[in-house]
Amino acid sequence: MLDMIIRGAALPDGRTNTDIGIQAGRITAVQPNLQAEAGQVIDATGRLVTPPFADAHLHLDSALSLGQPRLNESGTLLEGIALWSELKPHLTVEAIYERAKKLCLWAIARGTLAIRSHVDICDDRLLAVEALTRLRRDLRAYLDIQLVAFPQDGYLRYPNAAINLQRALDMGVDVIGGIPHFERTMQDGAESVRALMRIAAERGARVDMHCDESDDPLSRHIETLAAETVRHGMQGRVAGSHLTSMHSMDNYYASKLISLIAEAGVGVIANPLINITLQGRHDTYPKRRGMTRVKELMAAGVPVAFGHDCVMDPWYSFGTHDMLEVAGMGLHVGQLTAQSEIRASFAAVTETPAKILGLPNYGLAPGCDANLVVLQAENAFEAIRIRAERLYVIRRGQVIAQTAPRESRVRVDGADLAIDFTRANLG
Ligand code: FE2
């Protein structure tokens, strides 16, 4: 007698009509025609069942602060930075906690059960660290939150960043962040990468730096980050977020750089929603796309994830934290229309960020945690195309969120027709 069986599932790898057995919070079987009884049976016939979505790059401390203390009238990065500075003195632990918690509940409803959030440590009160470490603890049963100590105003540029970083790590922040392109000089940027990598190596911490979020083709801090990763033997534990300058780089240099990133086992996190809106703003026409070289990085075997980055904050006003919207935008901006690239775009919001975050027991095989999402779609392609509803969100064998199937009804010629935006029943 199992706790749960999901019957008839389609899986992201293309298998269909598969049963998934769950016992004591773990997956015990993934096979056709599972001969067993269960306390709860979910009929997923023709539905995609996937391990949960994971967001490798988010800012929970600013999420849902839109309009506080005022709107970003120009919609630009610079006014967004100014706005955050205006808001900072008025932040409280409770306000950060409540906004971040609401965002996390949105994420769970959308089937996202792991989030890596950067936390601004350039506030000597470290209110966001206090709020988000508490939230991580309070939501542990439902959602894995990984926190990155992020010196948002520059590790060398902000006077207390080094002290605050150590304090944040001592308070339980997991990952070391950075923002080398925001330091005052290229040399300071490179030095900040070396200093932060030394701390990470000493502490055995993972690293995820905002890196080269710029249209300047000479912003090459990812090169230093990759080289330091090799030097410290930290392959597989380091990620570079954004890397938008790679879009503008000389092709010869980029080809050398991509090889280095692959050799270093550095993960890449693009944030297509915000990158496409904020980058290339100094261009007239043609305007550059604001995303790193996702197609070429994927082809070189580099793990590339898509993150949401911001939701309703000073820098990005939109979003409901739907990782299928993120995948769809990444696919469009990166022209990832090959069949293998469509599959990789789905993986970029599921298994690839799970790998970059180092999530244990993630996946769809016996022994993995029974964290699963049943989608109103036949396959990953359709899930991205129609932003499929998450019918069931399952955490360690328990349903923790449900959404009713989406259906529109159209009345034509006296007939009342159910519309589901699929090709079902067509030749
Ligand atoms: Fe970010």
Side-chain angles (χ1 to χ4, degrees), residues 185-222:
T185 65
M186 290 289 182
Q187 290 77 7
D188 277 2
E191 182 48 40
S192 76
V193 172
R194 283 191 279 269
L196 289 160
M197 287 296 290
R198 272 196 300 274
I199 297 168
E202 282 164 20
R203 290 218 178 216
R206 288 177 181 271
V207 173
D208 187 339
M209 292 196 197
H210 284 67
C211 205
D212 305 321
E213 189 179 3
S214 158
D215 297 321
D216 175 5
L218 296 179
S219 187
R220 296 175 168 187
H221 299 296
I222 179 59

Side-chain angles (χ1 to χ4, degrees), residues 192-400:
S192 76
V193 172
R194 283 191 279 269
L196 289 160
M197 287 296 290
R198 272 196 300 274
I199 297 168
E202 282 164 20
R203 290 218 178 216
R206 288 177 181 271
V207 173
D208 187 339
M209 292 196 197
H210 284 67
C211 205
D212 305 321
E213 189 179 3
S214 158
D215 297 321
D216 175 5
L218 296 179
S219 187
R220 296 175 168 187
H221 299 296
I222 179 59
E223 180 184 68
T224 308
L225 183 63
E228 289 295 294
T229 300
V230 174
R231 204 165 69 77
H232 287 291
M234 288 178 60
Q235 291 90 337
R237 299 178 59 78
V238 175
S241 283
H242 293 293
L243 310 187
T244 53
S245 75
M246 286 183 69
H247 189 93
S248 302
M249 284 174 183
D250 168 74
N251 286 332
Y252 184 84
Y253 173 72
S255 68
K256 174 173 177 271
L257 177 62
I258 289 171
S259 299
L260 174 62
I261 295 171
E263 178 199 345
V266 167
V268 168
I269 302 159
N271 297 294
L273 293 171
I274 193 159
N275 290 160
I276 197 66
T277 52
L278 288 184
Q279 301 306 130
R281 286 293 184 109
H282 292 193
D283 294 357
T284 53
Y285 287 94
K287 286 180 188 287
R288 284 166 286 181
R289 287 161 195 248
M291 195 165 77
T292 192
R293 301 191 186 204
V294 170
K295 195 186 276 271
E296 293 75 11
L297 287 159
M298 283 178 170
V302 174
V304 181
F306 292 141
H308 207 303
D309 199 4
C310 297
V311 183
M312 297 186 75
D313 72 4
W315 299 279
Y316 186 73
S317 306
F318 303 93
T320 60
H321 204 269
D322 182 348
M323 295 310 291
L324 285 174
E325 184 186 6
V326 174
M329 181 62 80
L331 182 155
H332 281 79
V333 175
Q335 302 181 328
L336 303 173
T337 50
Q339 295 304 310
S340 62
E341 291 167 347
I342 296 169
R343 287 192 292 275
S345 297
F346 189 80
V349 293
T350 52
E351 64 186 74
T352 307
K355 180 180 175 187
I356 291 173
L357 269 62
L359 293 181
N361 307 318
Y362 178 95
L364 229 176
C368 294
D369 286 340
N371 299 338
L372 296 162
V373 183
V374 181
L375 289 133
Q376 190 186 3
E378 288 190 348
N379 52 47
F381 157 76
E382 190 170 88
I384 293 174
R385 184 178 67 80
I386 65 175
R387 311 281 188 272
E389 299 293 353
R390 287 66 159 174
L391 304 178
Y392 298 92
V393 180
I394 296 161
R395 173 83 165 174
R396 294 179 193 142
Q398 304 283 328
V399 175
I400 62 166

